[in-house]
Amino acid sequence: MKSLSALIAIAALFGGVQLFHNGNGQSVAEEVTRSSTYRLVANGDEGACAVSRGAEISDGLSLLTVAPTCRRLIPGIERAKFWREQNDGTVAFSANGVDPIVTFAVADGDGYESYAPATPLLSLAGGRRTGD
């Protein structure tokens, strides 16, 4: 009877792991956290567009998708292909993974606010779509 209970427990554990990994060895939790959509807003809602943080490609460096309409907010941002998150929580968008086009600091509440370049002031908030 003890061996039957142990066998059932092992089967349940294996089934739970397979469910968590969606049956393909890749964690469902990893899939959910890989891509995040943000709303990029200029100067207190004068303009907005969507940006998406994609898969992490190295420690702190992730792919980035910027809507073409973001060019209206800050020229050149449409070239950004990388999201780099530093240990201090700052985030930089860049075309090459190194040289920032725009840099953000953690804002009060949820999201980020740009500090370089100094103008225009941009905010980056998660979880909202703009349709762009």
Side-chain angles (χ1 to χ4, degrees):
M1 189 69 177
K2 287 183 182 180
S3 60
L4 180 60
S5 296
L7 186 59
I8 291 172
I10 290 170
L13 180 62
F14 180 74
V17 168
Q18 287 298 314
L19 180 63
F20 182 72
H21 285 280
N22 203 17
N24 65 7
Q26 184 175 9
S27 171
V28 173
E30 288 175 33
E31 271 182 46
V32 171
T33 59
R34 270 200 195 154
S35 182
S36 299
T37 300
Y38 294 84
R39 184 171 186 244
L40 185 63
V41 180
N43 293 330
D45 217 16
E46 287 182 21
C49 65
V51 298
S52 296
R53 181 180 183 180
E56 186 171 335
I57 55 177
S58 69
D59 190 33
L61 186 66
S62 300
L63 296 175
L64 177 69
T65 303
V66 177
T69 55
C70 290
R71 186 180 191 330
R72 295 182 312 216
L73 307 182
I74 180 170
I77 198 169
E78 73 280 2
R79 295 185 331 248
K81 302 291 179 215
F82 299 97
W83 168 301
R84 178 170 298 278
E85 188 163 352
Q86 301 294 335
N87 291 335
D88 64 359
T90 59
V91 169
F93 292 177
S94 68
N96 61 8
V98 178
D99 303 312
I101 295 170
V102 62
T103 306
F104 300 89
V106 176
D108 292 340
D110 185 29
Y112 303 88
E113 288 184 351
S114 66
Y115 66 88
T119 57
L121 179 63
L122 300 171
S123 65
L124 188 62
R128 291 184 250 162
R129 296 281 308 183
T130 63
D132 289 337

